[in-house]
Amino acid sequence: MKAEDIKKVCVVGSGSMGHQIGMLFALAGYQTTIQDISEESLENAKSKLEAIMEKWVAKEKISHERKETAFSHLAFETSLEKAAFDADFIVEAVVEKLEVKRSVFKQLDQIAPLHAILATNSSTIVNSLIADATSRPDKVCNMHFFFPPLVMDCVEVVMSDHTSEETAQLAMEVCKKINRTGILLRKEISGFVANRILGSLTKEALNLYEQGIADYKDIDLVVTKALKHPIGPFALMDLSGIDVAYYVMQQRYAETGDPEDKPPKCVEEKVKEGNLGRKTGKGWYDYQTEKKVQI
């Protein structure tokens, strides 16, 4: 298969990553279906995209016509069978849990055309842990978008020992088509590049907080003022979802068995309380009075 043969795209999962990834493909002209088992989640995804695109039109980032064209390329579907049966390229963006992803890929392998590429948006889980749930490991890769996908210009494309060169190059070509900078990693490592660096910073920030060295607000302030990061580690956890960070830490701990990789109590407490950051209105910070559309 060549890049120009990719016409139809399926994005599995309509959450904080999935719906924006879907819009990236739609803006690039691909016939795109965003699939989720929850009708409510799909309605929420559509409303969020409409709000974001209206804001882009108001700011003259895109024309009204381009916005309308993008939505004409976009469909929302609860049935995985209907969404994936004729897809040429599929991006999975479900919860960061290995067993869930393996289940999704097993289903996709049975539904999708034999030529279809199956990419996981996982930010930590290497695709070789997922690919053997399919009969096409050569067509499986990581395609890690960064949050929020409609803003962040980077995608980590990761090969396993089984990923074919054709699959990797197709994924890289797709990155160009959707106007994103693809970075190809030919060797797997948990967390890839960005999250290994970010994870080390976040782990130390949480350690300093739990030791009582500094308050989370002050840690964020030091990182933004002294290190010139655009956002501090605690605010970033709120932005991407504290539950996402928690699941990533759980997966790393499951892989290494190192107590140092186990999610700290303060993060576990936030998840149990349901205070997951911006998407719930409260995390480390309180966003109850903030507007919902941030992009």
Side-chain angles (χ1 to χ4, degrees):
M1 184 169 64
K2 297 180 180 179
E4 54 267 28
D5 297 324
I6 299 173
K7 306 294 183 183
K8 295 187 176 181
V9 173
C10 171
V11 178
V12 183
S14 64
S16 57
M17 296 296 290
H19 71 286
Q20 292 197 22
I21 293 171
M23 180 53 80
L24 277 176
F25 280 100
L27 284 166
Y30 291 104
Q31 289 296 327
T32 307
T33 300
I34 298 175
Q35 185 275 335
D36 200 295
I37 58 174
S38 169
E39 185 70 49
E40 183 181 355
S41 294
L42 289 174
E43 288 295 329
N44 188 38
K46 187 175 182 180
S47 296
K48 285 181 177 178
L49 288 175
E50 287 174 344
I52 292 169
M53 291 299 105
E54 279 296 332
K55 190 171 182 180
W56 280 22
V57 170
K59 288 185 172 182
E60 299 184 348
K61 292 178 69 174
I62 62 171
S63 66
H64 177 75
E65 289 73 22
R66 190 179 177 206
K67 172 208 156 189
E68 292 298 310
T69 299
F71 274 105
S72 74
H73 292 150
L74 199 58
F76 299 84
E77 178 59 64
T78 55
S79 167
L80 187 61
E81 289 78 8
K82 291 180 181 179
F85 83 97
D86 62 348
D88 304 305
F89 200 94
I90 301 173
V91 179
E92 164 272 311
V94 302
V95 66
E96 196 76 353
K97 292 185 176 181
L98 178 58
E99 64 273 17
V100 177
K101 291 182 184 293
R102 285 181 59 85
S103 175
V104 169
F105 270 70
K106 184 176 181 180
Q107 293 176 68
L108 288 172
D109 186 49
Q110 296 168 352
I111 297 167
L114 293 176
H115 68 267
I117 301 298
L118 308 181
T120 173
N121 178 55
S122 177
S123 60
T124 301
I125 302 171
V126 294
N127 71 81
S128 61
L129 295 177
I130 303 170
D132 65 353
T134 78
S135 61
R136 59 181 97 183
D138 60 310
K139 290 183 169 60
V140 177
C141 67
N142 284 84
M143 199 171 177
H144 174 220
F145 292 78
F146 291 83
F147 186 83
L150 283 167
V151 174
M152 300 297 285
D153 176 26
C154 189
V155 179
E156 290 175 318
V157 176
V158 188
M159 302 175 67
S160 74
D161 289 340
H162 300 291
T163 307
S164 70
E165 186 67 26
E166 178 186 335
T167 294
Q169 293 306 321
L170 279 170
M172 291 292 286
E173 190 63 33
V174 164
C175 288
K176 290 181 184 178
K177 296 282 187 181
I178 62 175
N179 197 31
R180 287 296 176 268
T181 301
I183 307 298
L184 180 59
L185 306 183
R186 294 183 174 276
K187 186 175 181 180
E188 288 187 319
I189 186 168
S190 178
F192 319 138
V193 174
N195 273 8
R196 290 188 73 84
I197 295 170
L198 178 62
S200 296
L201 186 146
T202 302
K203 181 190 288 187
E204 187 57 34
L206 288 165
N207 186 38
L208 290 169
Y209 171 73
E210 288 206 322
Q211 287 186 66
I213 303 299
D215 183 69
Y216 66 89
K217 291 182 180 179
D218 289 331
I219 295 171
D220 274 0
L221 197 61
V222 169
V223 171
T224 56
K225 295 294 185 182
L227 303 182
K228 294 297 182 182
H229 288 209
I231 189 171
F234 292 92
L236 183 57
M237 275 187 275
D238 277 359
L239 181 63
S240 58
I242 295 174
D243 55 331
V244 175
Y246 178 68
Y247 294 141
V248 166
M249 293 172 189
Q250 278 191 319
Q251 179 61 33
R252 182 68 62 81
Y253 177 56
E255 291 177 15
T256 67
D258 185 346
E260 291 293 320
D261 291 329
K262 193 173 183 179
K265 289 183 180 179
C266 60
V267 173
E268 189 172 5
E269 287 171 0
K270 295 287 184 189
V271 174
K272 287 181 178 179
E273 293 166 358
N275 295 325
L276 309 179
R278 288 180 181 267
K279 62 186 174 184
T280 60
K282 187 177 181 181
W284 293 102
Y285 297 88
D286 193 328
Y287 305 91
Q288 302 290 347
T289 59
E290 286 198 6
K291 294 181 180 180
K292 294 294 183 183
V293 180
Q294 302 291 332
I295 296 173

